[in-house]
Amino acid sequence: MKFDNSYATLDPRLYHKQPPTPLKNPQAGHFNPIIAKRIGWSDDVELMQNWVSILGGEVIPNGFAPLAMAYAGHQFGQWAGQLGDGRGLLMAQVRDNNDQLIDLHLKGIGLTPYSRMGDGRAVLRSTIREYLCGHAMTQLGIASSSALGFVVSDTAVRRETIEAGAALLRVSDCHIRLGHVEWIASFAPDLLVEFTDYMIDTYYPDSRQANYPVVDFLTQVVKKTAIMIANWQLIGFAHGVMNTDNLSITGSTIDYGPFGFLERFNPAWINNHSDYTGRYSYQNQPAIGHWNLNVWLPHFMRLTQAGVTKTALAECLAHYETSFMQHYQHGICQKLGLAYPIQQPNESISAPDLATNRLALTLAYDLLSIIEQNRLDYTNSFRALLAVIDASNFQHEHDLLQQLTLSLDAKQLKLWQDWKTRYLHYIDQYTEANEVVSTLQKHNPVYILRNAMAQRSIEMAEAGDFSEVERLFQLLSNPYDVQNIATQADVTPPAADAPEIVISCSS
Ligand code: AMP
Ligand code: MG
C-alpha cells in the first residue's frame, strides 16, 4: 500500500498516538475484496494472510501509525464538549488506485483518552449493520465510508446483555468531522489556521485557485453536505444521529449507528428509538444539515484571511438550500425516469422548458403523495414504474406493481390511475420511453438494506454462521439489478401493523 500518514504530522494536541487493545481470539467475519483491491491491500501477501490479526488489533503492520483523533460536537442540538475517537483509531492513511487519500480506521479496538464513560468496544450486531450499510450505500452510488472487513471475538462486551466484541476496519475518504473545528475553537484556537490549511490542501486543493480560498473551501463543504443529504432523501435513507461529530467535511456518509432505509413511506419516520423528539427523523434531515453548518461556519470568523467576513459566510451558507433543492429536484425526477436539468447560476431557461420541468416535478410530488397516503414501500413503488412503461420485459417490477395496486382502495386506485395517465401522457409528449426506462433502472434500486434483512444476518452471525452476511454483501453489490440470490423477504416491507424492529443508540 502507498502510505500517506499526513494527519500524524499535525500538531500533537489534535490526537493521541497509541496502539489498539487486542480483542481475544479474533475470528473472520467478512472480508471485502473490492476494497482490498482498491487500496492495494490485496497486493501484499502478508496483509492478506494476517488480516484477521490486524483487525483484531494483535498485529500492527509496517507503515501503520495508529492514533485517536480529538474532536467535539453538538449532540441532539446541545453542545457536548470534547468527544473524540473513543473506540476507534486512525490506523493509516493510504493512496488508492486513483491516488485518492483513504483513511483506514479500526473501530471497536479499546480505550483511548477520549472514551469518556464507554468501554472502547463495538458489538457484533452494530458492526454488521455498519459493514453492510456502508457497502450498500457505496454500491448505490452515495458518498460513504465502507470497510475492508470485520472480525468477531471472544471479548465479552456488556450492553443490555453480554454480547461478542467485534472490530471493523472502516475506509473513508476522510475522518475529519465538523466537530474537529468545534474542538479547535474551544480547546486550541491557535491551531485553526494550520488546520484550515490542512483541510484545504488535503481535501479541497482546487480552492487554492479561488480569490478567497477559505471561503471557497467552506462553500464546497456546504455544497457537498447538501448533495449528500439530497442523496439520502432520494434513496430513502435516515442516518439517525446527525450530530456535528458524525458529519464529515467531505460530504461522505460516516458513523452508521441507528440508521434505516424507509420502507412504508412516512416522512416523519424516526429510525433511532433513542431519538425521543424526532430531531433526526427522515424529513428533518435537510434542515438539520443546515443547522449543523450554521453552528460550524462562524468558527472561521476567527481567521484573518482576506475575504472571510460575516457576509461571505452567510452567502456560503445560502448555497446549502440552493444545492439541496437543485439536487433533490433533479434526483426525484430521475426517479420517475424524467429529465430535470440542474440549472447553473446565471443560466437562463426558456419558458416552455421551465413549464415542462415544473410538470415533471409536479408528477414526482404527486406520486410521493400517493405513496405516503397509502404507506406504500418507498423503494418498490419507484421501481414498479418500470412495469408501467414496459410490463412485458420487467417481470419482477410487474409483480411489485400488482402488489401495490392490490393494496389500494377504490378512491386511491382512481388517484393512481389518473396519475398514471398523466405520467404516460408526459412521456409521450416530452421524452422517449427507452430513455425513461434506462433512467428508471439507474436511479431506483431493487435492493436496499431493510432492517429485517440486517437483523436476520445478525442473528445467524451471532450463532456463528456468516453465510447471510456474505449473501447480503453480494446482493447489495449490485443493488440496481434483479438477482437470483434474492429472497422474497429482500423486497418485502414489514406488514403495515407489524411492530418495528427496535434500533437504538446502543452499539
Ligand atoms: P456516536 O454516537 O457513535 O457517534 O459516538 C459519540 C461519541 O461517543 C464518540 O466520541 C465515540 O467515540 C464515543 N463512543 C461511542 N461508543 C463508545 C464506546 N463503547 N466506548 C467509548 N467511546 C464510545
Ligand atoms: Mg460518531
Side-chain angles (χ1 to χ4, degrees), residues 71 75 83-88 107 111 114-122 159 177 241 243 245-246 255 505 507:
Y71 52 83
Q75 298 187 317
L83 301 165
D85 290 333
R87 55 171 165 173
K107 181 167 175 181
L111 295 173
Y114 315 119
S115 299
R116 300 180 297 149
M117 313 295 278
D119 56 7
R121 296 300 182 191
R159 295 290 178 264
R177 300 138 191 278
V241 201
N243 296 331
D245 53 298
N246 290 338
D255 277 20
C505 272
S507 61

Side-chain angles (χ1 to χ4, degrees), residues 96-158:
D96 75 1
N97 293 341
N98 295 319
D99 206 36
Q100 147 114 56
L101 187 66
I102 299 287
D103 288 359
L104 308 188
H105 171 105
L106 190 52
K107 181 167 175 181
I109 208 62
L111 295 173
T112 77
Y114 315 119
S115 299
R116 300 180 297 149
M117 313 295 278
D119 56 7
R121 296 300 182 191
V123 295
L124 180 60
R125 101 187 112 78
S126 61
T127 301
I128 291 176
R129 281 172 51 85
E130 174 154 8
Y131 184 72
L132 289 175
C133 195
H135 179 58
M137 292 284 270
T138 304
Q139 301 302 111
L140 285 164
I142 297 176
S144 171
S145 68
S146 55
L148 178 86
F150 72 89
V151 294
V152 62
S153 76
D154 293 346
T155 299
V157 177
R158 180 178 290 277

